[in-house]
Amino acid sequence: QVQLQQSGPGLVKPSQTLSLTCAISGDSVSSNIVAWNWIRQSPSRGLEWLGRTYYRSKWYNDYAIFVKSRITINPDTSKNQFSLQLNSVTPEDTAVYYCVRGVDSSLDYWGQGTLVTVSS
Amino acid sequence: DVVMTQSPLSLPVTLGQPASISCRSSQSLVYSDGNTHLSWFQQRPGQSPRRLIYKVSNRDSGVPDRFSGSGSGTDFTLRISRVEAEDVGVYYCMQATHWPWTFGQGTKVEIK
């Protein structure tokens, strides 16, 4: 059974960097048949796919255009986890952030979600 | 981006009665390999989304058979044959045929 455990601060100041980590159990971040995604949810914008990292003989990343200049998703093979960094945050980045496993063009296992509030 | 439009946005239902949610996409969701990457998710209050259906009509393991998905091209439907109290929540469709993947705005199912 795949489980995703998220960690990271729930409060970030404007202009600073949002950082979250997703620890994987029951699968490998280096699997060559899945992808590891970050998705966020807010009342105003609903569910938004932010980006993903995946391994296919080498590491790849895909990012949503609206955050591409500010986002980094990195795998950590030593800890079997992956991370999200979102720079220069504003109050509009306030949302619940989820890490999610992607397989065969769908999303199956979700983390528990982390409410991140951007406020001074 | 592909726009996913769900209707209705709110669906009051009587226990034991059927329910149906529509999801329409702004472009065909048929991929070049012939697959249609349309999924349905259930989000119960206070929980993370849970996938119910993938590739239009394939039910996930552990999902009750009262849930079914159908459709093709740009028009899709999630049906609950007999609503139970545990089905209360918000239901989302998601397309993964075109980048970026996009979600519907959600349909809130509540008991009358």
Side-chain angles (χ1 to χ4, degrees), chain A residues 41-75:
Chain A
Q41 184 176 31
S42 64
S44 58
R45 302 223 284 255
L47 287 160
E48 296 180 294
W49 177 83
L50 299 176
R52 66 177 184 172
T53 189
Y54 57 100
Y55 185 76
R56 303 287 186 270
S57 302
K58 69 174 185 176
W59 288 101
Y60 294 88
N61 290 102
D62 295 315
Y63 298 130
I65 288 175
F66 71 94
V67 289
K68 193 166 187 175
S69 63
R70 300 193 290 133
I71 190 172
T72 304
I73 296 176
N74 282 326

Side-chain angles (χ1 to χ4, degrees), chain B residues 23-107:
Chain B
C23 175
R24 289 192 167 92
S25 57
S26 60
Q27 299 178 36
S28 172
L29 298 186
V30 180
Y31 192 56
S32 53
D33 64 0
N35 286 310
T36 299
H37 297 296
L38 187 284
S39 303
W40 288 96
F41 299 87
Q42 173 196 62
Q43 188 173 31
R44 290 173 172 150
Q47 296 186 11
S48 302
R50 165 202 182 196
R51 193 178 68 178
L52 301 175
I53 302 282
Y54 61 96
K55 289 184 188 175
V56 181
S57 59
N58 294 275
R59 207 168 31 245
D60 271 277
S61 174
V63 173
D65 61 7
R66 64 178 180 275
F67 290 93
S68 64
S70 64
S72 62
T74 62
D75 199 349
F76 304 92
T77 302
L78 176 71
R79 289 187 175 85
I80 310 173
S81 59
R82 294 173 304 279
V83 172
E84 298 190 5
E86 66 179 15
D87 300 336
V88 164
V90 182
Y91 291 77
Y92 298 93
C93 59
M94 184 200 80
Q95 68 81 22
T97 295
H98 304 281
W99 284 105
W101 296 359
T102 49
F103 293 85
Q105 66 269 62
T107 295

